[in-house]
Amino acid sequence: MRLGIISALHEEQAGLVEAMEGPAKLIHGKREFWVGRLWEIDAVCVLSRIGKVAAAMTATTLVEKFGVTHILFTGVAGAGDKTIRVGDIVVAESLVQHDMDASPLFPRFEVPLTGQTHFQPDQQLSLRLSGAAHAFLECDFLDTISETERQAFGLTQPRVHRGLIASGDQFVNDRLRIDALNGALPGLVAVEMEGAAVAQVCHELDVPFAVIRAVSDNANENAAHDFMRFVKSVAAQYAFHITRRLCRHLVEAPLQPRSESAGM
Ligand code: SAH
């Protein structure tokens, strides 16, 4: 297995690149790809930058140029539902491009000429990822997130959610907008700007992938408030320790070949 790990923001990626053994930096398409070993997994870490096109370009390059066999996206997102709180973790069960709308020619949200609105991540990898997220919250959370930061962001008992992630080229910071998306997309757990683009690329190239996000904001008028502080002091720790746990588990118990897990 060769795992491609995409982050959207520099702060989310920095710790992972530092943890790589003997990384080689290769530049392609105006991006730096860090190739090496990460907790004994053959890995390629890359910063996609923000938005669907950036993410699609990055995922495509990872597969076509760097030969990754699996893709993991780690990042932050706005809460897609009132029951989801800042500091919670969401693992995608399904992804949709919420700004895709070629109606009335095609149904709203459908990617034209694919017949699809929702794209599904790999179940096996997603299950491992939510396992790693649970273990992180149980074993590492209190040690890795300082009390000051826990208090500042009201992080008391963060939880892991599985569900629908919606992506679009828009930072959602409007209560009416997030309520409308929640109403139009049943099962919505988070909004962000890259996941569903990676999902479409991976679907088209037949590459298993998974998406995990730390909830940084409520996608309302306060969304940008303390956003970078959360990314640096909370989300970066989440991404680092969850990826570490995932990689260790992948070494101990490699994934089953896809055909065997197809019915899962
Ligand atoms: N203020 C930041 C902007 C980052 S854009 C800056 O200056 O760099 C937001 C990033 O976090 C994207 O990668 C997106 O995937 C995710 N994200 C977090 N909260 C979001 C929200 N409410 N709406 C959309 N994307 C969000």
Side-chain angles (χ1 to χ4, degrees), residues 9 12 74-78 191-192 212-216 227 230-231 235:
L9 304 171
E12 296 167 334
T74 70
V76 293
V191 285
E192 37 88 311
I212 188 165
R213 299 273 181 172
V215 174
S216 53
F227 178 85
F230 182 90
V231 171

Side-chain angles (χ1 to χ4, degrees), residues 1-5 20 22-24 26 33-38 40-45 59 61-72 125 207-209 247 250 255:
M1 131 179 251
R2 174 172 255 208
L3 181 64
I5 304 176
M20 283 185 116
L26 296 161
F33 291 80
W34 297 89
V35 183
R37 291 190 80 71
L38 189 60
E40 293 175 45
I41 289 282
D42 182 15
V44 185
C45 293
T61 306
L62 275 174
V63 177
E64 297 290 324
K65 178 116 186 135
F66 292 90
V68 306
T69 58
H70 296 74
I71 289 182
L72 168 67
L125 188 59
V207 168
F209 74 97
C247 288
L250 288 172
L255 293 177

Side-chain angles (χ1 to χ4, degrees), residues 8 50 76-78 170-172 191-194 213 216-217 219 227:
I50 297 164
V76 293
Q170 179 184 45
F171 183 72
V172 180
V191 285
E192 37 88 311
M193 303 176 69
E194 299 84 18
R213 299 273 181 172
S216 53
D217 60 87
F227 178 85

